[in-house]
Amino acid sequence: MKISSWLYASTGTMLPSEADVEVHDIVRQAQTRNESLHVTGALLWTEERFVQFIEGPAGGISTLQSSILRDARHQSIVTIKCQDSNERLFPGWALAYAGPSQVVAKAVEQAISISRKDITAGAEMLIELLKHFSPSCVEAETRA
């Protein structure tokens, strides 16, 4: 079965005082919706920028992509990579999430900078960050 995926980065528009509550709301809603759409993935939040990788049936990815593009909490959304594959990178995770961290923020900015020169290398760096940080930071109940 073909699995479609979308890797993107965006700038968050939330006020710093409201960001934690907003992001946790995004994660809760996404986990429920992703599960119903058979979509898995991971999200990083750096207190300024979102990086998310979602994967699943093309229709589910399209639905989520449209929703994210309309979401006022995101601006300057940049698609870094779209592709089809035969297997998932985040099986079992409706949405793995890692919250803000200076280490993550610096690594995300470096990977985005690299992607401007070499999209493949930048995308791979971001996917590795998502793999490395998300599952280790997620509470047990976020597993699908």
Side-chain angles (χ1 to χ4, degrees), residues 6-9 30 34 42-44 50-54 68 95 130:
W6 181 40
L7 173 63
Y8 76 89
N34 289 3
L43 173 71
L44 293 174
F50 289 101
V51 173
Q52 185 172 21
F53 181 88
I54 55 175
I68 291 165
L95 183 66
L130 286 158

Side-chain angles (χ1 to χ4, degrees), residues 52-74:
Q52 185 172 21
F53 181 88
I54 55 175
E55 59 190 352
I61 298 304
S62 179
T63 297
L64 292 175
Q65 190 174 33
S66 295
S67 177
I68 291 165
L69 291 170
R70 287 189 315 268
D71 190 330
R73 296 171 293 195
H74 295 272

Side-chain angles (χ1 to χ4, degrees), residues 63-122:
T63 297
L64 292 175
Q65 190 174 33
S66 295
S67 177
I68 291 165
L69 291 170
R70 287 189 315 268
D71 190 330
R73 296 171 293 195
H74 295 272
Q75 69 180 11
S76 304
I77 298 171
V78 176
T79 295
I80 297 169
K81 185 175 186 177
C82 286
Q83 72 177 32
D84 290 332
S85 65
N86 292 320
E87 62 184 63
R88 293 176 187 258
L89 296 178
F90 296 92
W93 292 92
L95 183 66
Y97 168 66
S101 148
Q102 291 300 318
V103 171
V104 173
K106 287 178 184 176
V108 164
E109 293 306 318
Q110 180 183 19
I112 288 172
S113 177
I114 288 170
S115 75
R116 290 183 184 119
K117 298 173 189 143
D118 181 343
I119 194 72
T120 301

Side-chain angles (χ1 to χ4, degrees), residues 11-24:
T11 302
T13 62
M14 296 89 59
L15 296 172
S17 61
E18 299 172 358
D20 282 344
V21 171
E22 288 283 336
V23 172
H24 286 291

